[in-house]
Amino acid sequence: MDENAGRVRIDAPGKINLFLRIAGRRDDGYHELDSLMQSIGLSDRLEFTAAPERARDELACNHPQLAIDGSNLILRACAWVRARLSAAGAPPPPPLAIYLEKHIPIGAGLGGGSADAAATLRALARHWKLDWPTAVWLEGALALGSDVPFCHRGGQCRCRGRGELLENSNAARPPAVALLCPPQPAPTAAVYAAYARGLRETASPAVDLTAEAFAALPWQDWGRNWRNDLTAAACAVVPQLTAVRNWFARVRLKGGMSGSGTTFVAACASLAEAAEVGACFEREFPHGRSFAVEPVTAGAEATVATLA
Ligand code: C5P
């Protein structure tokens, strides 16, 4: 293992759910998902540098509200890799100084924390030259969170199970999306708990669920038939979200909520249109933020670089 492999920098793209259906409750308390996840061109950036003078892996971040202690998924991902190395009898690699440049809003349903965890696994594989099989990395990814396996793969996938059963998908992507982010975050566990208490969507559109039908659907139809079974639950957990939902419907945007909220996604024909939609949103909700981005087609392996 080369412990002086320089620095490793990696981009951690966020995700949206073009479709999210809950297919039931599992024996382990989680929900059975059926979702079409898509990486997007809004990324955090992480840098890993060997820091032998330090006592442990340390994380610093440009975002003052983000927890940078051992509860952060980046440090938990490091701990998972270290535990596996130690179990195999390998000497511990020197501590790391990690810097996270946070761009993806927190608690927004855009997979920011999951993207950071997945990027950490990829970065450590490069930094510490670990050639473990993909199945091992995916096991680690799932141990860190349900969306981490998808973020580790990237691109577009149909995701089932807790989120770890990944199937590459090639459904039509909107050319651009406007990410409309209300200022309030939604805690994922609370949204699922509200769903489990019975806060269900009553008017989810019926979408043909076969892979062939997904592949044949024009992107405008994703926007028109947006299905996210967690929307009512998220509106119950974050009451301010109902106003966003109503505005979104009133101005006839095509799309809906991503993940467990609170971001609403509008499918657009171009980045310029997405920027215009974002400006309208920010006029209506002055504390909100918006981003005009494109879906990302390349897998996550393309985002890692070794620096001198
Ligand atoms: O796996 P992760 O830690 O991201 O999940 C956060 C919470 O979301 C879980 O504790 C669980 O309450 C809920 N969840 C679920 N079913 C899923 C994914 C998440 O119930 N498939």
Side-chain angles (χ1 to χ4, degrees):
M1 190 180 304
D2 180 1
E3 293 172 352
N4 295 307
R7 284 176 299 146
V8 168
R9 176 189 289 164
I10 186 162
D11 286 332
K15 60 84 188 161
I16 54 175
N17 303 74
L18 291 167
F19 168 83
L20 192 161
R21 184 173 78 97
I22 297 193
R25 192 91 192 255
R26 298 156 48 109
D27 292 341
D28 61 7
Y30 284 84
H31 291 81
E32 191 68 27
L33 280 186
D34 179 7
S35 184
L36 190 66
M37 294 212 210
Q38 170 69 59
S39 299
I40 50 169
L42 175 64
S43 302
D44 292 340
R45 176 163 277 196
L46 289 85
E47 210 168 283
F48 297 79
T49 312
E53 71 286 0
R54 302 199 182 184
R56 64 183 74 82
D57 299 331
E58 283 177 22
L59 174 63
C61 176
N62 64 335
H63 193 303
Q65 269 129 40
L66 193 79
I68 52 170
D69 61 8
S71 69
N72 189 289
L73 279 176
I74 294 172
L75 291 177
R76 286 176 51 201
C78 292
W80 183 86
V81 175
R82 284 186 181 282
R84 203 168 186 283
L85 282 170
S86 159
L96 294 164
I98 308 164
Y99 187 71
L100 166 63
E101 206 179 283
K102 193 84 195 145
H103 298 287
I104 304 172
I106 299 168
L110 297 174
S114 305
D116 296 344
T120 300
L121 296 179
R122 281 207 176 272
L124 296 189
R126 171 77 67 97
H127 208 17
W128 294 342
K129 297 189 167 46
L130 308 174
D131 58 356
W132 300 341
T134 304
V136 168
W137 292 110
L138 286 181
E139 182 193 313
L142 183 62
L144 295 163
S146 303
D147 289 346
V148 184
F150 168 74
C151 292
H152 190 262
R153 167 102 54 110
Q156 186 192 85
C157 291
R158 184 94 175 252
C159 307
R160 294 193 176 86
R162 259 179 68 194
E164 82 284 15
L165 302 176
L166 307 176
E167 210 181 296
N168 284 343
S169 166
N170 210 9
R173 301 160 171 83
V177 291
L179 307 175
L180 310 174
C181 308
Q184 302 83 8
T188 302
V191 173
Y192 274 100
Y195 180 89
R197 283 200 307 276
L199 286 152
R200 308 280 162 93
E201 285 299 296
T202 48
S204 284
V207 177
D208 185 344
L209 297 176
T210 59
E212 296 72 32
F214 268 49
L217 216 55
W219 69 263
Q220 291 90 340
D221 283 5
W222 281 119
R224 260 183 234 119
N225 297 325
W226 197 273
R227 173 168 180 171
N228 183 333
D229 288 353
L230 292 173
T231 311
C235 289
V237 171
V238 181
Q240 299 91 329
L241 207 51
T242 302
V244 177
R245 182 180 198 177
N246 291 342
W247 172 83
F248 195 93
R250 196 169 64 243
V251 299
R252 296 183 183 280
L253 292 172
K254 295 190 204 77
M257 199 179 79
S258 178
S260 53
T262 51
T263 297
F264 271 67
V265 179
C268 296
S270 66
L271 279 175
E273 186 187 313
E276 244 174 67
V277 167
C280 288
F281 170 76
E282 288 180 11
R283 275 198 296 278
E284 188 74 17
F285 300 97
H287 298 295
R289 280 201 295 164
S290 71
F291 303 86
V293 301
E294 289 171 335
V296 170
T297 49
E301 71 281 357
T303 64
V304 59
T306 304
L307 307 176

